[in-house]
Amino acid sequence: MTWSLAIRIPMNYIVYNGSYWEESAPKSQALAQALTERQLEEAETAITKQTQEMVKNGAFSILASVGPKKAVGMFNKAQAHSYELFEAAQAYTRNTQ
């Protein structure tokens, strides 16, 4: 089932249930919670993927040995890119909680 959410001030929260729009605060809250959970899952998947990439390309060992501030200046292009994606995924996680 596909749900959509819209906010109309005179009607509060309305949700599209695949057939029609209905006013429902609980359903809209459930939809927002489900979206947040999916976003967190995506971010956690991205963090795991980028961590594995950083281990593979050596960025993780540089981070572990000198810390993030110094490591950024020591990374090659591929390491810097994977670290940027890792940082973006972490920021996305913080912003969705």
Side-chain angles (χ1 to χ4, degrees):
M1 178 186 313
T2 302
W3 291 83
S4 297
L5 173 66
I7 301 171
R8 294 188 61 207
I9 300 303
M11 295 180 67
N12 295 322
Y13 295 92
I14 59 174
V15 180
Y16 187 72
N17 65 15
S19 299
Y20 58 91
W21 289 94
E22 63 180 295
E23 186 173 356
S24 175
K27 287 182 181 178
S28 65
Q29 183 179 10
L31 180 62
Q33 182 63 36
L35 175 61
T36 300
E37 289 171 5
R38 280 194 310 236
Q39 289 173 321
L40 285 172
E41 286 173 11
E42 289 173 4
E44 289 168 4
T45 299
I47 288 170
T48 300
K49 178 183 175 188
Q50 289 314 128
T51 299
Q52 292 170 349
E53 180 64 27
M54 290 187 335
V55 167
K56 190 166 62 171
N57 69 21
F60 197 79
S61 63
I62 296 171
L63 274 171
S65 66
V66 298
K69 289 184 181 182
K70 287 185 181 179
V72 170
M74 298 171 66
F75 289 151
N76 64 32
K77 191 173 183 176
Q79 292 167 334
H81 181 69
S82 62
Y83 181 68
E84 288 169 7
L85 293 175
F86 174 79
E87 288 284 291
Q90 284 189 322
Y92 189 68
T93 301
R94 286 189 299 271
N95 292 333
T96 56
Q97 292 180 342

